[in-house]
Amino acid sequence: MNEFELIERYFAKVGPSRGDVLLGVGDDAALLRVAAGQELVACTDTLVDGRHFPVGTRSDDVGWRALAVNLSDLAAMGASPAWATLALTLPAADEDWLEGFAAGFAALAQLHGVALVGGDTTQGPLTITVQALGLVPAGSALRRTGAQPGDLVYVTGWPGDAAAGLALLEGRLAGQGANRGALETKFRRPEPRVAFGQRLRGVASAAIDVSDGLAQDLGRLAAASGVAAVVRAQELPLSRALYALAGEARARDYVLAGGDDYELLFTVPPAARGALAAAMAASGAPACHCIGEIVAGRGVRVLGERGELPVPRGWDHFAT
Ligand code: ADP
Ligand code: MG
């Protein structure tokens, strides 16, 4: 199988065919139509073997993840995903591996209507870079910068589960049965909050997706907005599976610092609480928990029942 055959076999027709793709895979570049009144939202994320997923991870999970982490960034902007490109560096053209990878990627692409419109294929240590492109009505994208004192802080779903799932896979946490399965699945198959992100347009004052740990990503949102955030430890959502396997104190650490959640963390002004309730009541909306509030100042504080708790650090590739 040469490079051309590989692209043709696995990547020429991934995702739905979209009318706004004037040219997809096959030419020197893709040609895409952005409708009048829409803005293009672009993001990219790289996965490195053994760094972003354990060596030996099933290739269908790697393919899913490569797109999921990018769709999560689009979700945090309130964008509707449209297109993606894929730069793939492979040690070898292993057909079984490629078959699985393309299937995992395509499954999520199909779910969110994303067409794969181009990419690059090279030989080297396994590294996957995806660029995702989405659309928002002009002027309506969510940003990290709009949080104001008095806004409430919310998070979707069950942060901490994915990090505990990875810890189980790597033998740093013990557990069996349904709880183990549930947490491992949360790591293996993150579900970006794409539809809910779009529902937060005009509702949230600021938003970020949680990839490097809730406390750290909340710190980024607060810093970008020029405010501080106060989190109430007893309001942090702990999934039943996480609570059962990690116990309360450790579960909270996973929630605050775990990473790989791909949940949405967002702030809502008091006047928009009714609109948030409507968004949360929509069919398919994820669970949402209010975990604290925005105040004047800087940084993130976590308040326990008996005073302030240390804020655990999240993920940083270049931490010294
Ligand atoms: P060029 O050498 O002109 O950059 P390539 O041979 O790299 O062209 O790619 C040929 C076509 O296949 C291009 O349209 C490119 O976008 C697409 N392509 C290459 N690799 C991938 C991939 N992994 N996934 C999707 N499309 C790809
Ligand atoms: Mg090329």
Side-chain angles (χ1 to χ4, degrees):
M1 188 169 47
N2 65 29
E3 187 185 312
F4 173 79
E5 289 164 344
L6 186 160
I7 296 165
E8 199 52 32
R9 187 179 314 171
Y10 298 107
F11 302 116
K13 286 181 201 66
V14 173
S17 63
R18 293 177 58 107
D20 52 13
V21 178
L22 308 178
L23 259 183
V25 171
D27 214 301
D28 289 315
L31 196 53
L32 309 165
R33 192 193 301 114
V34 177
Q38 300 279 307
E39 285 166 354
L40 183 63
V41 183
C43 62
T44 193
D45 250 325
T46 292
L47 302 186
V48 176
D49 189 21
R51 191 91 186 136
H52 297 92
F53 54 86
V55 172
T57 296
R58 287 168 53 141
S59 63
D60 54 343
D61 290 343
V62 176
W64 175 285
R65 180 174 212 80
L67 183 58
V69 300
N70 280 281
L71 296 188
S72 181
D73 282 323
L74 291 185
M77 300 296 291
S80 165
W83 314 297
T85 62
L86 166 64
L88 191 55
T89 301
L90 298 169
D94 177 328
E95 293 188 19
D96 288 341
W97 194 93
L98 277 160
E99 191 84 44
F101 177 86
F105 189 102
L108 189 63
Q110 199 67 41
L111 215 53
H112 292 289
V114 175
L116 181 62
V117 296
D120 196 26
T121 306
T122 54
Q123 196 271 326
L126 179 60
T127 306
I128 306 111
T129 298
V130 170
Q131 180 184 43
L133 300 162
L135 300 163
V136 285
S140 72
L142 302 173
R143 302 171 187 224
R144 297 180 180 184
T145 46
Q148 299 270 351
D151 291 359
L152 297 177
V153 178
Y154 288 84
V155 69
T156 58
W158 307 98
D161 280 13
L166 176 60
L168 286 162
L169 287 166
E170 294 185 335
R172 290 178 281 111
L173 181 66
Q176 291 304 327
N179 289 331
R180 181 187 181 105
L183 297 177
E184 284 186 357
T185 301
K186 292 290 285 294
F187 176 76
R188 290 179 42 235
R189 293 281 172 138
E191 290 186 17
R193 303 300 190 181
V194 171
F196 194 66
Q198 291 167 66
R199 289 195 175 275
L200 290 178
R201 295 197 304 246
V203 177
S205 49
I208 188 170
D209 73 315
V210 184
S211 52
D212 297 334
L214 190 157
Q216 179 161 307
D217 287 325
L218 180 56
R220 289 175 177 154
L221 183 152
S225 294
V227 295
V230 177
V231 171
R232 283 181 306 277
Q234 67 275 16
E235 306 293 342
L236 290 170
L238 306 181
S239 77
R240 214 178 296 175
L242 180 61
Y243 188 93
L245 293 195
E248 189 171 340
R250 235 169 133 201
R252 280 215 183 108
D253 282 348
Y254 278 117
V255 173
L256 286 169
D260 288 319
D261 298 305
Y262 305 105
E263 297 290 358
L264 294 181
L265 181 64
F266 57 97
T267 57
V268 176
R273 279 179 214 170
L276 176 64
M280 285 166 57
S283 88
C288 256
H289 297 92
C290 180
I291 59 168
E293 64 181 325
I294 297 296
V295 296
R298 47 192 346 208
V300 173
R301 280 182 294 146
V302 180
L303 300 184
E305 270 160 340
R306 283 183 293 278
E308 200 162 330
L309 302 175
V311 180
R313 279 216 227 164
W315 189 254
D316 181 346
H317 282 279
F318 296 104
T320 46

